[in-house]
């Protein structure tokens, strides 16, 4: 990669990250066993912190030391970390655990802090879903991402962005579908041939979803390096919840007509259609047309009982 190409790649990634972080709402990051998403989450956190935003992290799956590892001192100084990994249920009675448990910590983030936008990173939503009802988690996320004040707290901050990491393989289609419908932006991490990819779906009110696919690698400082990936038409659609299904794909017959077939169909007179020509032929028979007669000669086994014409049917 030449320096100019590298600069262009960094610029394109900067634009993509800014579009991910441009508006409030829930940004859902879906990863899998093959393609982990914590590095991408930390790249978004780094971008938000360097932009001067308040960044709060609800850490559940790894320790604070492990999560902060790789960030420089400038980024780490801007992060407010809520540690649920060490003692999530406050068994040690140190008073460090937030009241109300993990969801209580999330609700506490609804409180007004300093003016300006706030980014809340949850590592991870799977940890919460395995311990809390899905409906309760969705309600709290909706209250956060839509800037509605939580019960018992002061008004919400100006703009809240929630970054939620979800391990898709740990959940059924119900929780995954509920969170996908709640999210304003969905990022499905995957890849092929050793390349990492992010399939991004932007959803805005009264607008059609926008799909983008980016190929990248995560650098040690959690900045992103743009890569040249395969052609988009060769990529399988990674999101089964939003992919359109064509019902005519595997049919053994054709449901679509050509122009000539449509003209032939429109000019065809069906047998049950009582046209004006057929009416004239029936009412005014032409010369040489004899009236039709039906002659019936009964067989030896015919039942001609007029009193019970249906006797042979045994009814």
């Amino acid at each position: 990669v030449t320096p100019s190409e590298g600069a262009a790649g960094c610029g394109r990634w900067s634009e993509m990250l800014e579009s991910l972080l441009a508006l409030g709402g829930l940004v859902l990051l879906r990863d899998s066993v093959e393609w982990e998403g914590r590095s991408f989450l930390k790249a978004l956190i780094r971008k938000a912190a360097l932009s001067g935003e308040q960044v709060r992290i609800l850490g559940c799956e790894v320790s604070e030391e492990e999560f902060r590892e790789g960030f420089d001192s400038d980024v780490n100084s801007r992060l407010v970390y809520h540690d649920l990994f060490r003692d999530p249920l406050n068994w040690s009675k140190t008073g460090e655990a937030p009241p109300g448990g993990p969801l209580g910590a999330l609700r506490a983030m609804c409180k007004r802090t300093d003016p300006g936008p706030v980014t809340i990173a949850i590592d991870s939503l799977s940890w919460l879903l395995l311990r809390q009802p899905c409906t309760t988690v969705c309600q709290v996320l909706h209250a956060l991402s839509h800037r509605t004040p939580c019960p018992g707290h002061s008004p919400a901050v100006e703009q809240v962005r929630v970054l939620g990491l979800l391990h898709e393989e740990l959940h059924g289609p119900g929780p995954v579908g509920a969170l996908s419908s709640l999210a304003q932006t969905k990022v499905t991490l995957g890849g092929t041939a050793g390349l990492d990819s992010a399939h991004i779906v932007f959803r805005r009110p009264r607008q059609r979803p926008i799909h983008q696919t980016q190929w990248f690698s995560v650098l040690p400082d959690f900045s992103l390096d743009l890569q040249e990936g395969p052609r988009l038409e060769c990529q399988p659609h990674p999101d089964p919840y939003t992919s359109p299904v064509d019902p005519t794909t595997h049919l053994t017959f054709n449901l679509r007509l050509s122009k000539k077939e449509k003209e032939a169909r429109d000019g065809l007179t069906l047998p049950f259609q009582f046209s004006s020509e057929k009416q004239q032929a029936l009412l005014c028979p032409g010369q040489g047309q004899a009236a039709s007669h039906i002659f019936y000669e009964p067989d030896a086994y015919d039942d001609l009982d007029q009193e019970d014409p249906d006797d042979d049917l045994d009814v």
Side-chain angles (χ1 to χ4, degrees):
V1 180
T2 64
S4 60
E5 290 173 346
C10 293
R12 289 173 59 187
W13 261 115
S14 178
E15 293 177 1
M16 193 277 292
L17 291 179
E18 289 177 358
S19 63
L20 280 175
L21 302 175
L23 300 175
L26 174 61
V27 179
L28 183 64
L29 309 178
R30 293 162 47 177
D31 69 355
S32 61
V33 175
E34 293 83 5
W35 310 97
E36 64 88 18
R38 184 168 289 113
S39 298
F40 193 86
L41 173 66
K42 294 174 73 170
L44 293 178
I45 292 174
R46 175 183 181 272
K47 178 65 177 179
L50 294 179
S51 300
E53 298 184 10
Q54 307 175 53
V55 181
R56 297 188 172 190
I57 301 169
L58 188 67
C60 309
E61 290 187 342
V62 298
S63 64
E64 180 177 359
E65 294 77 12
E66 181 179 350
F67 192 89
R68 288 180 178 270
E69 185 178 356
F71 289 133
D72 57 28
S73 57
D74 189 21
V75 174
N76 273 320
S77 63
R78 300 172 184 265
L79 305 183
V80 179
Y81 198 91
H82 301 264
D83 190 1
L84 293 179
F85 175 79
R86 184 175 305 173
D87 189 12
L89 299 179
N90 197 24
W91 286 353
S92 60
K93 304 299 182 183
T94 59
E96 296 179 358
L103 294 183
L106 272 179
R107 293 188 179 97
M109 294 179 183
C110 296
K111 294 181 179 180
R112 179 182 296 277
T113 56
D114 297 333
V118 176
T119 296
I120 299 174
I122 305 175
D123 182 21
S124 68
L125 288 173
S126 294
W127 192 93
L128 294 176
L129 288 174
L130 294 176
R131 291 161 176 82
Q132 302 291 335
C134 179
T135 54
T136 306
V137 175
C138 290
Q139 289 172 358
V140 175
L141 291 176
H142 183 273
L144 282 174
S145 59
H146 288 75
R147 295 166 291 182
T148 56
C150 298
H153 294 293
S154 58
V157 295
E158 294 180 4
Q159 178 175 323
V160 176
R161 181 186 308 106
V162 181
L163 308 177
L165 179 62
L166 181 70
H167 308 314
E168 185 174 355
E169 296 172 331
L170 298 180
H171 312 283
V176 175
L179 290 173
S180 298
S181 62
L182 187 64
Q184 282 74 37
T185 305
K186 293 179 290 184
V187 181
T188 304
L189 300 173
T192 183
L195 293 177
D196 296 333
S197 68
H199 181 81
I200 308 169
V201 180
F202 299 94
R203 293 195 307 132
R204 296 294 179 262
R206 297 179 297 276
Q207 296 181 11
R208 297 187 62 181
I210 301 175
H211 296 258
Q212 293 182 2
T213 299
Q214 301 286 349
W215 299 85
F216 66 94
S217 61
V218 182
L219 301 181
D221 62 346
F222 294 105
S223 59
L224 297 176
D225 182 26
L226 184 66
Q227 302 288 334
E228 186 70 24
R231 300 178 63 183
L232 294 181
E233 56 265 25
C234 299
Q235 304 169 15
H237 202 291
D239 192 350
Y241 300 98
T242 59
S243 59
V245 178
D246 186 3
T248 65
T249 302
H250 303 291
L251 294 179
T252 58
F253 53 89
N254 187 17
L255 292 179
R256 299 177 177 86
L257 299 177
S258 63
K259 183 177 180 180
K260 292 183 178 180
E261 291 173 338
K262 290 181 179 179
E263 294 176 354
R265 181 195 61 183
D266 296 338
L268 180 65
T269 301
L270 299 177
F272 54 82
Q273 291 180 337
F274 197 68
S275 62
S276 58
E277 293 81 1
K278 186 181 295 185
Q279 182 180 10
Q280 290 296 116
L282 293 175
L283 295 179
C284 304
Q287 296 181 355
Q289 292 183 345
S292 299
H293 300 280
I294 299 176
F295 298 93
Y296 173 68
E297 182 176 352
D299 294 333
Y301 299 100
D302 285 349
D303 186 0
L304 300 178
D305 188 358
Q306 299 297 329
E307 299 295 332
D308 188 8
D310 297 329
D311 180 57
D312 58 329
L313 300 179
D314 296 329
V315 295

